[in-house]
Amino acid sequence: MDKTQLNSRWSWLRRRFVFLLATLLFMMAVVPFLEGLSGLHTFFNIFLSAVLLSAVYALSQKIREFVAAVVLAIPMLLSIWSDYFVRSDALFLIGRICGILFLAFTIFHILRHILQQQEVTRDTIAGAAAVYLLFALMWAFIYIVLERLQPGSFATSSAQTLEGRSIFIYFSLVTITTLGYGDITPVTYIARSLAVLEAVVGQLYLVVLVSWLVGMYVSKKSRPL
């Protein structure tokens, strides 16, 4: 491999957080508009699989992290697509639990990477924004698992149900941004505690993130030329 090819390869790796952020934004922006279509299930699974694969790619710089990410992502991907052939509550729960662990693993390593950087770059900002959306997706999986284990943990208005593929992603985004529309409400103590925890984590993350970005920017500007 010559120097040009090597530089090209590392250039792609340096944009891995941009790809992850783009797939997250695309899924969360497009899926709600497909609500009610007969193929929504398939579209949602395609977008969710793309997010998981993008997250695996985001951890591809180090072989140990990459292998661990693949091991955690495979059960989730299998549970997503095996639903077309066999319906199993056990497989569903195992897949979502592995998805939660995978997202937590991804969040931890992306945060560790970007906090070790010496300057703020486009990919660093994309990684920080992606982590925020990954938090929301992780909590959506937690809510899904909770509702499956304890039906009735959440209540909705009469106009909607909890059967929609994107309903808990919507609730998680509303919660982490503290919008609180009230059309979906946590009912049980565990559900309420998780919703409060997500809101607190989301706000603390934004405060810490902005402080870190400002600190890095000021530090770069104050360096002598």
Side-chain angles (χ1 to χ4, degrees), residues 75-131:
M76 179 63 188
L77 289 170
L78 289 176
S79 72
I80 290 173
W81 294 103
S82 64
D83 192 47
Y84 289 94
F85 307 101
V86 57
R87 292 187 175 274
S88 169
D89 286 341
L91 184 59
F92 179 90
L93 288 173
I94 291 173
R96 272 33 180 205
I97 291 172
C98 286
I100 294 169
L101 295 175
F102 168 73
L103 292 172
F105 179 84
T106 303
I107 289 169
F108 172 79
H109 284 284
I110 292 179
L111 277 178
R112 188 179 69 170
H113 172 79
I114 63 179
L115 291 176
Q116 290 175 347
Q117 301 305 301
Q118 299 300 314
E119 61 179 338
V120 178
T121 64
R122 180 188 305 174
D123 205 51
T124 302
I125 295 173
V131 166

Side-chain angles (χ1 to χ4, degrees), residues 3 26 48-49 55 60 80 91 103 110 119 131-132 137-138 175 182 184 190 203 205 225:
K3 186 175 180 180
F26 190 78
L48 182 56
S49 299
S60 61
I80 290 173
L91 184 59
L103 292 172
I110 292 179
E119 61 179 338
V131 166
Y132 186 70
L137 186 59
M138 182 183 72
T175 302
I184 304 173
I190 295 178
Q203 296 307 300
Y205 178 77
L225 298 177

Side-chain angles (χ1 to χ4, degrees), residues 16-60:
R16 64 192 188 280
F17 297 147
V18 173
F19 294 142
L20 175 58
L21 178 61
T23 54
L24 282 164
L25 290 173
F26 190 78
M27 182 186 75
M28 294 179 180
V30 173
V31 168
F33 291 97
L34 302 176
E35 197 74 47
L37 296 180
S38 58
L40 176 65
H41 187 160
T42 301
F43 278 116
F44 182 82
N45 289 339
I46 291 173
F47 294 143
L48 182 56
S49 299
V51 168
L52 295 176
L53 293 175
S54 297
V56 171
Y57 173 63
L59 301 179
S60 61

Side-chain angles (χ1 to χ4, degrees), residues 156-178:
T156 66
S157 64
S158 58
Q160 58 184 337
T161 67
L162 295 173
E163 299 299 324
R165 292 282 168 175
S166 59
I167 192 69
F168 281 110
I169 294 180
Y170 161 75
F171 174 70
S172 183
L173 286 169
V174 168
T175 302
I176 200 170
T177 56
T178 65

Side-chain angles (χ1 to χ4, degrees), residues 59-71:
L59 301 179
S60 61
Q61 192 172 25
K62 296 183 179 180
I63 186 64
R64 184 178 299 177
E65 296 175 5
F66 175 73
V67 171
V70 169
V71 170

Side-chain angles (χ1 to χ4, degrees), residues 146 150-154 185-194:
L146 178 61
Q150 295 183 358
S153 295
F154 299 88
T185 56
V187 176
T188 64
Y189 176 78
I190 295 178
R192 290 174 178 174
S193 299
L194 287 171

